[in-house]
Structure formats: structure tokens, C-alpha cells
Amino acid sequence: MLVGEADSYTGLADDLARHGIADRVRITGYVPDEAIGAHLRAADVCLCLRWPTAQESSASWLRCLAAARPTVISDLAHLVDVPADVACRIDLLDEDRALAQTMQSLSTDPKRRANLAGAGHAYWAAGHTLTLMAEDYRRVLRDTAARPAPDVHDLPAHLTDDHTAHARAIARAFGVAVDF
């Protein structure tokens, strides 16, 4: 089952037919948030392969970990701190071979899938729940608000200019002084 939009994968139908599995693959298309859990419970393994990336955290990967599913991720620099027992990593430079080898291994090793699922769920629970995220935001906002404003004398103008010069000039033409 391929869950989610696959419109950008224009050769998907041809690839499925070429490998002789078109009759065994179901493509769901868009799935609303409230239905994701049921699809995750049905999965033996979740693939969360991302490229290109802006080095963001993958919400879909975190959902898979929360659902205690074994996961396979792209081996990306910003994920270097993810322990090896939490997810299988796929080398971007050898993706086809590495993915085939990893999936073959996982398909025949239920104990490894269970270990990945358990370690992944523990990793999610220890640092990636919505409650923990909200606590982190509160802490960072509180800590930031308590600090003095940074000295901006050495920053480029596009970061320090408040872009109000034109509006102030118009206001002055009407005899209005705007200063705040």
C-alpha cells in the first residue's frame, strides 16, 4: 500500500507493471489526518525517504515512530544523532541497492522489525511528543524573552532596516510624526 499522493511519481504505474506487482499494490491517494493511524497500524514497515530536504524534522516519520512501526529513513546529515537501533538508514548514493537489501532483510526478520519498532517508539516518546514539543517552545520563548536584545550594529541593512522610511515620509508630508 502506498499511502498519500503519488501524482509526482509519473512512472509509478509503469514501474509497478514492470516488476509484476501492479495487482498487489494499492495507492490510496490523499488520506485525511484522522485516517493515518489505521494505515500505519496495517504497515509492516514505513519508508520515510526524503530528498531533497531543508533539514526539517519529518512529521510523517514521527507519526510512524509514534505508531510503533519499524522505519527506514534516508541517511541525511541532520539525522546523524538518531541512534542506529531506531531506524534503518538508506545511503542516498546507493539508494536502489540499499533499499532493496534493507527491505529484503526486514521482510524475513520479524524480530528485527519488532526491535526497530520498540526502539523507535521509545525514541519518539522520549523527545518528540506534542507535549514535549510544546514544553520546548514555552522554554525557548521564555528564555529568549528574558535575554537582552542583541546588538545589531554589525548585521547587514536588509536585516536591520525596519522598512518604514517610505511610510514615514508620506506621514511627514501630512504633518504626522510617527515614532514608536
Side-chain angles (χ1 to χ4, degrees):
M1 184 178 311
L2 295 176
V3 179
E5 295 293 337
D7 295 342
S8 63
Y9 189 167
T10 55
L12 178 59
D14 292 338
D15 285 348
L16 294 174
R18 185 174 62 253
H19 292 288
I21 58 172
D23 61 331
R24 297 188 324 227
V25 175
R26 179 172 170 235
I27 303 166
T28 67
Y30 170 79
V31 173
D33 286 348
E34 58 273 5
I36 297 281
H39 289 288
L40 288 175
R41 284 188 296 279
D44 293 314
V45 175
C46 295
L47 302 178
C48 299
L49 306 173
R50 300 173 68 84
W51 186 259
T53 178
Q55 299 186 352
E56 70 282 2
S57 293
S58 167
S60 61
W61 179 56
L62 294 176
R63 284 181 175 168
C64 296
L65 296 178
R69 307 316 314 151
T71 60
V72 177
I73 60 174
S74 299
D75 191 12
L76 302 171
H78 69 283
L79 300 175
V80 69
D81 293 334
V82 174
D85 65 339
V86 166
C88 294
R89 296 172 183 276
I90 300 299
D91 183 350
L92 289 174
L93 300 178
D94 192 20
E95 191 174 58
D96 290 348
R97 186 201 59 77
L99 182 58
Q101 184 178 30
T102 298
M103 293 306 291
Q104 178 64 39
S105 170
L106 290 173
S107 72
T108 59
D109 193 343
K111 184 177 179 186
R112 184 172 179 216
R113 289 194 311 270
N115 289 341
L116 277 170
H121 187 265
Y123 178 79
W124 168 81
H128 297 283
T129 66
L130 289 176
T131 300
L132 290 172
M133 180 187 66
E135 289 172 7
D136 281 345
Y137 273 116
R138 284 187 205 94
R139 178 185 49 78
V140 167
L141 291 171
R142 182 185 61 247
D143 292 353
T144 302
R147 294 180 180 193
D151 183 11
V152 295
H153 73 279
D154 62 343
L155 294 177
H158 71 280
L159 295 176
T160 59
D161 185 354
D162 69 3
H163 304 284
T164 62
H166 187 65
R168 288 175 187 274
I170 293 170
R172 268 193 310 277
F174 289 98
V176 176
V178 179
D179 227 350
F180 46 91

